[in-house]
Amino acid sequence: MIARILVAGVLAIAICGTAAAQDEAAAPATPTTLQNGGFEAPDISKGAEQLATPEGWFHFSSTPERKAGVSDARKRSGSQSLCFKAQSPQDSFQGLAYKFSANAGKPYSFTIYAMSDPADPLVGAAFGQVSFEWRDATGKEVSRTYGPTWNFELSSTKWEKITVDADAPEGATEGSAVVTFFAKDCKGMGTFFVDDAELIYRGN
């Protein structure tokens, strides 16, 4: 079941600092474009490593563990998807995000499809979440929009559509579409896949 959850302020601040430190890894895109939403690049069949960071996206983490990236273990379309494996430390988190140019006051939607790994399903209080982060022209964060979450109830037999909608806040010139995995108390157990990400600009 997809549920909404309010993330604690302290945790949100921690994520902010980590994500901001990684921002230089990806350049903003146009408001209507999300490149590599199918996570086909880099191509594992051509020698790319499993869990390599998808081209055009950037990875952030609360620990040195890098346990999210491209995978050919499961896909909704194409030949690859995005895989998130749980980190071991309690209350750790990691995520992947995509930067784009934003128009203040205009509506955006970020959609993904998620599926649990039947051999390693989510456990305990661990959960995934989609969100938007908004920044002004100086790179300072203006606000965040938190979307739906998924947990141990995420299906391992079908892809579930998950969407977060938001209007870019006043002063925002840049946004990031974000997928985050919060390990909570899972002790390194739990894997889910994400595919066919789409960013839709609904302004004129």
Side-chain angles (χ1 to χ4, degrees):
M1 177 183 296
I2 304 303
R4 290 186 177 272
I5 186 168
L6 180 63
V7 179
V10 174
L11 182 57
I13 292 170
I15 298 170
C16 171
T18 305
Q22 299 295 329
D23 278 351
E24 69 278 3
T30 63
T32 55
T33 303
L34 189 153
Q35 301 292 331
N36 200 23
F39 310 106
E40 300 298 312
D43 191 338
I44 292 172
S45 70
K46 295 182 179 179
E49 294 184 358
Q50 296 280 347
L51 300 185
T53 300
E55 292 180 7
W57 296 69
F58 66 90
H59 178 269
F60 61 91
S61 175
S62 63
T63 79
E65 288 185 297
R66 294 181 61 89
K67 303 187 72 174
V70 296
S71 170
D72 59 2
R74 182 164 292 197
K75 69 275 188 181
R76 181 174 180 267
S77 65
S79 60
Q80 298 184 172
S81 65
L82 186 61
C83 177
F84 286 82
K85 293 181 176 292
Q87 296 169 302
S88 299
Q90 184 165 333
D91 292 328
S92 56
F93 62 84
Q94 63 179 325
L96 282 144
Y98 187 91
K99 290 172 65 175
F100 60 94
S101 298
N103 292 334
K106 298 298 184 179
Y108 293 83
S109 292
F110 176 46
T111 296
I112 64 166
Y113 291 82
M115 179 184 285
S116 181
D117 184 349
D120 186 31
L122 300 183
V123 299
F127 67 94
Q129 185 172 40
V130 288
S131 62
F132 281 116
E133 297 178 8
W134 307 103
R135 289 175 293 277
D136 63 19
T138 69
K140 180 182 178 180
E141 184 168 320
V142 176
S143 66
R144 295 189 179 204
T145 305
Y146 293 104
T149 66
W150 55 95
N151 57 17
F152 62 88
E153 295 181 318
L154 181 68
S155 176
S156 61
T157 60
K158 65 179 181 179
W159 292 90
E160 296 194 25
K161 184 178 180 179
I162 302 166
T163 300
V164 56
D165 299 307
D167 291 347
E170 182 178 353
T173 61
E174 182 181 280
S176 290
V178 186
V179 184
T180 308
F181 186 7
F182 298 90
K184 304 301 284 184
D185 60 353
C186 71
K187 298 180 181 179
M189 295 181 289
T191 298
F192 65 82
F193 298 89
V194 169
D195 207 357
D196 296 329
E198 184 178 20
L199 175 67
I200 300 175
Y201 171 64
R202 302 189 183 279
N204 296 323

